[in-house]
Every structure is written in structure tokens, then in C-alpha cells.
Amino acid sequence: MDSLAMNAKTKIIATISKLRCDKPFLRGLLEEGTDVFRLNFSHMTADEAAGIIRHIKELRQELNIPLAMIADTKGPELRLTGYSEPVHLKTGEKILISGSEENPENPENLTAFKLTLEYVSGLIEENQKVLLMDGYIEGHITDIIPAGAVVTIDNSAELRPRAHITFPGVNYPLPFLSDKDRIDICYAIENNLEYLALSFVKEAGEVEMIRRIVQEINPDSPIGIIAKIETPQAIAKLEEIIEASDGIMVARGDLGVELPLEKVPPMQKRI
């Protein structure tokens, strides 16, 4: 393909962190060819995003360039709770996990963690793989107990507070729209961002629900809805999700946690 034709279609999206978002830095990114700024609301609040959005809008006007913003929602993530400091886990160490409403017995006094899920019993099974922090730490379930499970750690590493946890292939009964997501979506619409990227979409109905919310907040809003494909459930309903959305994002990190890694490139090509 001719390089000029490629440049006309390919866009560069820069994800902006609240840790580095000063106006000179953003200007430098624009001068190097950034077309879209992505704000990841998994790691920032609407108040923290306000200053970044203000800078971007000022730069867009000063430089007189087309520039879009994407508000990427947190989505229904499964995380560990019950601790506030990093925890060093050792190879072979056993930990106890349970749902937020479950109170398992712990006679061995194992390090215990809660999940951002009411009940985990009945969802998981023995020998099932467990991935923490997007696969940085691996483990497997060695014992199912009443109201919880024992996980054996397969590699030593430090576990961050509120670490992301995945049981590959399991469909968690988490509500798609959290209170935080509702606040962030409303903020994106009211501040005229160009796109919403919805995390952990599993079916077209979730996209359609967000579209109705957009209409309730501002019937004239032109905001586009991007569905992020990052679960086996989304792949099973891929065609209907694409039909309901204005754009698709292939979230290869989370998809690579849920699927065998070698299946991600052909799946991306299919999408």
C-alpha cells in the first residue's frame, strides 16, 4: 500500500495519564502526529480528567487541528480487595479468596482476599487457572472450600492493591454499568467528548443500553460508542456487537488473558 494512502487512514491514539498531562507535553504529542487522546477512566476520576480535557480543547483551538477524545470506561472488572499495601507472594504459597459476602473458614491462617463480587462459590472449579494483574502473577485453584477457594501461587511477585484477577473462561455475574461508569459517561457527554469506549462488552444489549443513556442525557449528542472486545463472551456475539457499535477496539491485553495467546492475532484479524 502506498505510504501516503496509509497515513490518510491510520490514526495515532495517545493514552494520557493524570501523572503526565501538562499542556507543553500534550502539545508535543500533537506536533509528533497524535490524532486522538484517550482518557482511561479506570485510573482517573472525572475531576482529574477535567484539567486534561481543558488543555486538549485549548490546544485544538490554538493549533486549529481536528482532534478527538475518547473516554474509556472502567467497566465490570473483577478485583481483589481487603488489603491496602502491596503483598509479596511466593512460589508455592497458598492464599484464600472469597466473594465479598462470603466468610470462609481459614484454619491454616492463609493470607485472605475478597473479590469485588458477592459470591464466587459455584463459579470456579479445582485446577482452574488464576491470573493476577493481567497474567503478571499466575496461580491455580488447589482446593474448593465452602464459601471460597484456595489458590496456589505459581510465580513469586508483588501483588498491588486492588489487583485485577481473572479466571479465564468464567462469566462473572457483575453488573455492566457501575455507579462510577454512569458518572464518567455522563461527564463525557456533557463535556462533548467524541467517543465512549465501553470496557468488557459481552453483548449488543449493553451497547444499546448505553446509547439510550446518551439519549436521555442529551438527545442531540453525536458521541460515538466503541465496544471493546476482550472476553470470550464478546467473541461469541461479535457480529451483533459490531452491528450495534460505531467502532470496535481490540483489547489485546485482556483478550490475551482470557484466550491462549496464540489465538489473539487471528482473532484480531477476524474482528
Side-chain angles (χ1 to χ4, degrees):
M1 178 182 288
D2 180 82
S3 61
L4 290 177
M6 186 68 175
N7 287 337
K9 296 180 180 180
T10 303
K11 305 300 179 185
I12 297 173
I13 300 176
T15 299
I16 302 303
S17 164
K18 63 184 179 182
L19 302 178
R20 187 71 192 276
C21 56
D22 56 276
K23 197 169 175 180
F25 175 68
L26 297 176
R27 180 185 289 271
L29 293 177
L30 289 173
E31 290 172 348
E32 292 300 324
T34 298
D35 300 289
V36 182
F37 283 125
R38 170 179 170 262
L39 283 70
N40 187 354
F41 280 85
S42 293
H43 303 293
M44 69 173 69
T45 65
D47 287 342
E48 290 168 335
I52 304 174
I53 293 171
R54 185 179 66 254
H55 288 331
I56 293 172
K57 287 182 176 179
E58 289 172 357
L59 287 167
R60 181 164 57 189
Q61 187 170 1
E62 291 169 13
L63 300 174
N64 192 27
I65 56 175
L67 175 65
M69 287 182 278
I70 298 174
D72 197 325
T73 66
K74 182 176 179 291
E77 292 181 307
L78 188 61
R79 292 184 179 273
L80 290 177
T81 64
Y83 63 111
S84 57
E85 298 293 330
V87 177
H88 187 75
L89 299 178
K90 299 177 182 179
T91 302
E93 180 179 352
K94 293 181 179 180
I95 63 174
L96 181 65
I97 60 171
S98 61
S100 61
E101 299 299 318
E102 295 175 314
N103 294 297
E105 294 182 5
N106 189 6
E108 297 182 51
N109 199 28
L110 302 177
T111 302
F113 301 95
K114 291 287 188 180
L115 300 173
T116 52
L117 182 68
E118 289 186 353
Y119 301 98
V120 70
S121 301
L123 294 175
I124 53 180
E125 56 189 27
E126 204 165 315
N127 297 319
Q128 186 166 23
K129 182 184 286 189
V130 179
L131 300 174
L132 297 163
M133 291 164 47
D134 298 326
Y136 181 65
I137 303 173
E138 294 192 18
H140 60 282
I141 297 173
T142 49
D143 193 15
I144 300 291
I145 62 174
V150 175
V151 176
T152 299
I153 301 301
D154 294 334
N155 64 288
S156 298
E158 190 171 77
L159 184 71
R160 293 194 303 261
R162 288 190 62 82
H164 184 249
I165 182 171
T166 303
F167 305 99
V170 173
N171 187 8
Y172 319 117
L174 291 168
F176 178 68
L177 189 64
S178 66
D179 290 341
K180 172 175 168 51
D181 284 342
R182 187 178 289 274
I183 291 169
D184 294 339
I185 289 169
C186 182
Y187 183 83
I189 296 165
E190 291 175 346
N191 285 271
N192 301 312
L193 271 66
E194 284 71 29
Y195 294 98
L196 283 171
L198 305 180
S199 296
F200 299 102
V201 170
K202 295 179 181 177
E203 58 183 33
E206 293 168 339
V207 178
E208 292 161 356
M209 175 180 66
I210 301 304
R211 205 175 288 283
R212 288 193 297 271
I213 291 173
V214 171
Q215 288 295 304
E216 290 170 6
I217 296 170
N218 180 4
D220 298 321
S221 174
I223 198 165
I225 298 178
I226 298 171
K228 295 171 65 178
I229 306 299
E230 46 199 328
T231 67
Q233 292 80 22
I235 290 170
K237 298 187 176 181
L238 183 60
E239 287 77 10
E240 69 173 55
I241 292 173
I242 289 175
E243 198 168 319
S245 307
D246 299 306
I248 294 294
M249 186 185 297
V250 184
R252 293 180 298 180
D254 285 291
L255 202 55
V257 168
E258 291 284 353
L259 298 178
L261 206 55
E262 68 276 7
K263 292 188 177 181
V264 175
M267 182 53 63
Q268 176 175 319
K269 185 176 182 179
R270 179 188 162 202
I271 295 168

